[in-house]
C-alpha cells in the first residue's frame, strides 16, 4: 500500500494548482482504501503483486474518489470521513471538474499498462457505476421501490468496483478463467455485503466512527433496505410514518423511525442478508487452496459484516 500511495502522489500532479489542492484534500482525507487493497490481495492469491498491480490499485482508488466527489455534489453532503466534503470547502463546480480530472487521469494510467483486457474491465465498470448513480437518483423518495430494485442499485453503484478490483488483480497475474471468475464473484458479493452494512451504520452507527452525520439516507430520501423492510413489515400506521419521513426527508423523525426499525427487526434482517453475501463471497474462493492470502480474504468478508465503521 505504501507503493500504491507513491503512485497516487505521483499521478495526482497537475499544472493547475486547484486540481492538486482538491485531489490531495480528498485522497488524503482518510478512508479505508479497501478497493485498492483488494487489487493487491487478489493478486497475492492469484500469483504475486507487481508494480502494474500498484498502478491498477491507484487507478481503482482514483475512480472511487471521482465517484465520491460527484456523489457529494449530487447529495449536497457536507461531511465525509469526519471532514468537510470537498464541495463544501471548494464549491460544487470545482468538485465536479476535479472528479472529471480523476476519471480522465485514471484512463491515461490504464493506457500506459497496454492491456486491452484491463481497459475493458475498467471501462465497463465505470459505465455500470454511472448507471447505478442514475438508478439511485430515480429511486429517491420512491417508496414503491422493491428489494430487487434496491439490490440492483448497490450491485451497480458499489459492488461493481469491488468486482473490478478483484478481477483486475487476477487478470494482471494471467490467472485462469476459473480463478478470475472466482475472485470477481468474491468482489461482487463482498461489495454487496459492505454496502448493506453501510446502510445499517447510516442509521445505527457512531457518527464519529463512521465520519458522517447519522440519518443521511433518510434526509436524502434514499430508500435503503432497513427502511424498505420496515415499510413492508410494520403495521400500517408505523409504515406510513416511515414513508412520510422518507418523502419529506424528516431527520427530526429519526428516533421514531429507528424505534419502528428495531421493533420489526429490520437491522437483523439486513445483517442476515449481508452475512449471506459474505458467505457467498467466501464460497467463490473454493477453487483456491487455503493460504495466508486466501485466509485474509475470508477474514475480510467477515469483517465487512461485523464492522462498526
Amino acid at each position: 500500500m505504501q507503493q500504491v500511495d507513491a503512485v497516487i502522489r505521483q499521478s495526482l500532479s497537475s499544472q493547475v494548482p486547484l486540481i492538486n489542492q482538491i485531489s490531495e484534500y480528498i485522497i488524503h482525507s482518510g478512508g479505508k482504501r479497501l478497493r485498492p487493497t483488494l487489487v493487491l490481495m487478489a493478486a497475492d492469491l492469484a500469483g504475486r503483486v507487481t508494480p502494474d498491480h500498484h498502478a491498477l490499485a491507484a487507478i481503482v482508488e482514483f475512480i472511487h474518489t471521482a465517484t465520491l466527489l460527484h456523489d457529494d455534489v449530487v447529495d449536497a453532503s457536507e461531511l465525509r470521513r469526519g471532514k468537510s466534503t470537498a464541495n463544501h470547502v471548494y464549491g460544487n463546480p470545482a468538485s465536479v471538474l476535479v472528479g472529471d480530472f480523476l476519471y480522465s487521469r485514471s484512463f491515461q494510467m490504464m493506457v500506459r499498462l497496454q492491456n486491452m483486457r484491463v481497459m475493458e474491465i475498467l471501462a465497463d465498470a465505470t459505465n455500470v457505476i454511472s448507471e447505478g448513480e442514475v438508478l439511485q437518483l430515480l429511486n429517491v423518495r420512491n417508496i414503491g421501490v422493491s428489494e430487487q430494485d434496491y439490490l440492483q442499485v448497490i450491485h451497480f453503484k458499489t459492488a461493481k468496483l469491488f468486482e473490478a478490483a478483484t478481477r483486475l488483480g487476477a487478470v494482471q497475474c494471467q490467472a485462469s478463467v476459473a480463478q478470475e471468475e472466482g475472485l470477481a464473484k468474491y468482489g461482487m458479493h463482498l461489495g454487496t455485503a459492505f454496502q448493506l452494512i453501510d446502510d445499517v451504520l447510516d442509521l445505527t452507527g457512531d457518527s464519529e466512527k463512521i465520519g458522517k452525520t447519522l440519518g443521511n439516507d433518510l434526509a436524502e430520501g434514499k430508500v435503503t433496505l432497513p427502511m424498505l423492510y420496515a415499510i413492508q413489515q410494520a403495521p400500517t400506521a408505523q409504515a406510513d410514518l416511515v414513508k412520510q419521513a422518507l418523502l419529506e426527508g424528516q431527520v427530526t423523525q429519526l428516533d421514531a423511525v429507528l424505534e419502528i426499525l428495531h421493533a420489526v427487526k429490520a437491522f437483523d434482517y439486513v445483517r442476515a442478508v449481508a452475512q449471506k453475501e459474505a458467505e457467498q463471497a467466501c464460497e467463490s474462493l473454493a477453487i483456491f487452496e487455503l493460504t495466508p492470502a486466501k485466509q485474509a480474504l475470508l477474514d475480510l468478508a467477515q469483517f465487512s459484516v461485523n464492522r462498526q465503521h
Side-chain angles (χ1 to χ4, degrees):
M1 287 305 295
Q2 289 176 343
Q3 293 296 322
V4 173
D5 284 345
V7 174
I8 287 173
R9 284 193 299 272
Q10 182 182 1
S11 303
L12 280 176
S13 177
S14 167
Q15 295 179 4
V16 181
L18 183 60
I19 290 177
N20 292 326
Q21 193 175 357
I22 298 178
S23 297
E24 286 282 342
Y25 182 85
I26 187 69
I27 287 285
H28 298 295
S29 63
K32 302 175 188 65
R33 293 280 172 90
L34 184 54
R35 294 155 187 82
T37 302
L38 282 169
V39 176
L40 306 186
M41 293 176 76
D44 195 23
L45 181 58
R48 67 184 183 90
V49 178
T50 67
D52 283 348
H53 286 109
H54 301 151
L56 285 169
I59 289 166
V60 167
E61 183 68 0
F62 281 1
I63 291 171
H64 175 56
T65 303
T67 66
L68 296 186
L69 282 164
H70 290 166
D71 271 0
D72 287 341
V73 170
V74 171
D75 298 337
S77 300
E78 296 184 359
L79 194 68
R80 181 182 288 279
R81 299 168 177 168
K83 293 179 63 175
S84 293
T85 54
N87 55 296
H88 188 55
V89 175
Y90 299 100
N92 288 342
S95 289
V96 170
L97 294 173
V98 172
D100 293 344
F101 167 80
L102 288 173
Y103 270 131
S104 56
R105 178 53 53 89
S106 70
F107 275 85
Q108 284 182 319
M109 294 167 69
M110 286 177 222
V111 172
R112 292 188 197 120
L113 292 172
Q114 297 187 333
N115 186 327
M116 188 58 70
R117 181 80 176 108
V118 164
M119 292 195 66
E120 180 186 17
I121 292 164
L122 286 164
D124 287 348
T126 51
N127 192 252
V128 169
I129 292 165
S130 297
E131 289 181 318
E133 295 285 359
V134 176
L135 278 174
Q136 185 176 66
L137 185 65
L138 291 173
N139 288 342
V140 167
R141 308 199 194 288
N142 176 10
I143 55 176
V145 68
S146 68
E147 183 170 332
Q148 185 177 358
D149 293 334
Y150 162 85
L151 288 171
Q152 183 184 25
V153 168
I154 65 174
H155 284 157
F156 281 24
K157 183 175 177 288
T158 302
K160 188 63 180 180
L161 192 55
F162 279 71
E163 177 193 330
T166 48
R167 188 185 291 277
L168 288 167
V171 166
Q172 199 63 36
C173 286
Q174 298 182 322
S176 69
V177 172
Q179 289 176 327
E180 178 191 329
E181 288 305 317
L183 277 163
K185 287 177 182 176
Y186 170 89
M188 173 60 78
H189 288 300
L190 180 76
T192 303
F194 192 87
Q195 185 60 54
L196 285 162
I197 297 303
D198 254 13
D199 293 345
V200 170
L201 292 176
D202 178 79
L203 292 162
T204 66
D206 181 323
S207 59
E208 288 190 10
K209 285 184 179 179
I210 65 174
K212 59 182 181 179
T213 309
L214 293 184
N216 271 359
D217 291 338
L218 177 63
E220 294 162 10
K222 293 178 182 176
V223 188
T224 59
L225 190 55
M227 289 181 276
L228 178 60
Y229 184 81
I231 289 170
Q232 294 171 341
Q233 301 295 323
T236 303
Q238 284 86 346
D240 287 345
L241 188 150
V242 176
K243 290 178 185 177
Q244 197 64 30
L246 279 165
L247 288 170
E248 298 180 6
Q250 294 176 344
V251 184
T252 53
Q253 293 283 352
L254 180 58
D255 287 344
V257 169
L258 285 173
E259 188 176 337
I260 295 166
L261 267 59
H262 282 297
V264 299
K265 300 189 183 306
F267 299 119
D268 292 343
Y269 174 76
V270 178
R271 287 188 181 279
V273 175
Q275 180 62 40
K276 185 175 180 182
E277 291 288 340
E279 289 168 2
Q280 289 178 288
C282 294
E283 289 166 8
S284 300
L285 301 180
I287 188 172
F288 295 97
E289 293 181 7
L290 185 60
T291 62
K294 179 175 177 177
Q295 188 61 55
L297 288 167
L298 297 176
D299 291 345
L300 179 58
Q302 200 52 54
F303 166 79
S304 71
V305 177
N306 296 332
R307 65 195 175 92
Q308 298 298 317
H309 59 87

